[in-house]
Amino acid sequence: MKITVLTLFPEMFAPLQGSIIGRAQASGKLEIQIVNIRDYAENKHFKCDDYPFGGGAGMVMMPQPIGSAIKAVDPMHTARRIYLSPKGATFTQDKAFALSGCEHLVLLCGHYEGVDQRVLDLYIDEEISIGDYVLTGGELPAMVVCDCLARYVDGVISPSSLVDETFGENGLEYPQYTRPATYEGVSVPEVLLSGDHAKIDKWRREKSAELTKKLRPDLLGKK
């Protein structure tokens, strides 16, 4: 999978060079391309924002640099083009799984008061939000999407790690424990030490249902 990120602040993406995602890129399993929109500005000062027509607070990202950047990284429109925006549909595990089937994604990071609407109308396939709140830009949401999608790239993590995880079956994952067996007087549930896999599976299903009912009852009954 290739993910191209268009941003005015490429330095913000340094964390994607570490941990699991960093190793996935180093091994060639995943390609994340960070593109500076400013490099495509055609004005003398590489200006990428201006005051909004009609007045209002803040600045708006101009269409030309963004449009030129998109056409340069995806000239035949073979990629799925996504704008990270609080107005978009909420990013979910199901959405991540659907997007994981794409060979190439282009993620546009807005900033300031957003981007010129003509960019969205001409070049963007869909808008995605990571939650009902507003951030200073789309860089952090883009990193969230990259991290989530990387988990579905073959060879990045063990396939067993994708089983029985939170939201996988519209429920929350069961509690996890590791050594020591007793910590500050609190012991690991005996069933997990029993070696009886049928009982362990039953306990995990029950705890998953309990946690979902307690913490995210809105997930119950979803298909």
Side-chain angles (χ1 to χ4, degrees):
M1 169 180 275
K2 178 179 181 179
I3 303 176
T4 301
V5 181
L6 306 181
T7 175
L8 289 175
F9 302 95
E11 66 276 8
M12 290 184 66
F13 291 87
L16 295 184
Q17 298 303 314
S19 189
I20 294 173
I21 298 183
R23 292 195 298 271
Q25 293 178 81
S27 66
K29 296 181 176 68
L30 173 68
E31 179 182 357
I32 299 179
Q33 176 189 28
I34 308 300
V35 175
N36 191 339
I37 296 170
R38 201 174 301 278
D39 291 341
Y40 293 88
E42 295 176 355
N43 59 80
K44 182 172 65 174
H45 299 291
F46 299 99
K47 184 177 175 62
C48 290
D49 60 284
D50 211 330
Y51 294 103
F53 282 124
M59 306 288 278
V60 176
M61 290 176 66
M62 300 160 63
Q64 179 277 308
I66 300 174
S68 295
I70 291 175
K71 287 184 283 188
V73 301
D74 182 32
M76 303 301 293
H77 197 165
T78 56
R80 185 70 177 170
R81 301 170 176 180
I82 298 170
Y83 174 47
L84 285 311
S85 162
K87 296 186 293 183
T90 303
F91 188 57
T92 64
Q93 202 73 38
D94 286 343
K95 185 63 177 178
F97 184 74
L99 291 176
S100 69
C102 298
E103 292 186 8
H104 186 195
L105 294 175
V106 174
L107 306 182
L108 171 61
C109 303
H111 222 83
Y112 313 119
E113 293 301 312
V115 306
D116 189 295
Q117 182 63 38
R118 289 167 291 185
V119 167
L120 307 183
D121 295 340
L122 291 170
Y123 301 114
I124 297 300
D125 297 315
E126 64 177 310
E127 298 184 40
I128 286 179
S129 167
I130 63 167
D132 293 338
Y133 46 86
V134 179
L135 299 171
T136 57
E139 285 73 21
L140 291 176
M143 281 187 266
V144 167
V145 172
C146 288
D147 187 284
C148 189
L149 293 181
R151 302 177 72 252
Y152 289 102
V153 175
D154 187 38
V156 172
I157 63 173
S158 169
S160 61
S161 296
L162 298 174
V163 179
D164 295 331
E165 64 180 354
T166 292
F167 304 121
E169 293 293 335
N170 293 319
L172 305 185
E173 187 179 21
Y174 47 80
Q176 298 277 15
Y177 296 88
T178 188
R179 292 176 176 80
T182 300
Y183 172 69
E184 295 195 357
V186 181
S187 298
V188 172
E190 287 188 17
V191 66
L192 298 181
L193 307 176
S194 69
D196 189 324
H197 295 294
K199 288 183 178 179
I200 291 172
D201 288 343
K202 181 174 181 292
W203 179 88
R204 286 173 169 172
R205 288 194 300 271
E206 290 173 349
K207 290 302 177 182
S208 175
E210 288 176 12
L211 282 175
T212 304
K213 183 177 181 180
K214 178 182 178 181
L215 301 177
R216 291 293 304 275
D218 57 298
L219 295 176
L220 297 174
K222 283 190 174 183
K223 301 295 184 182

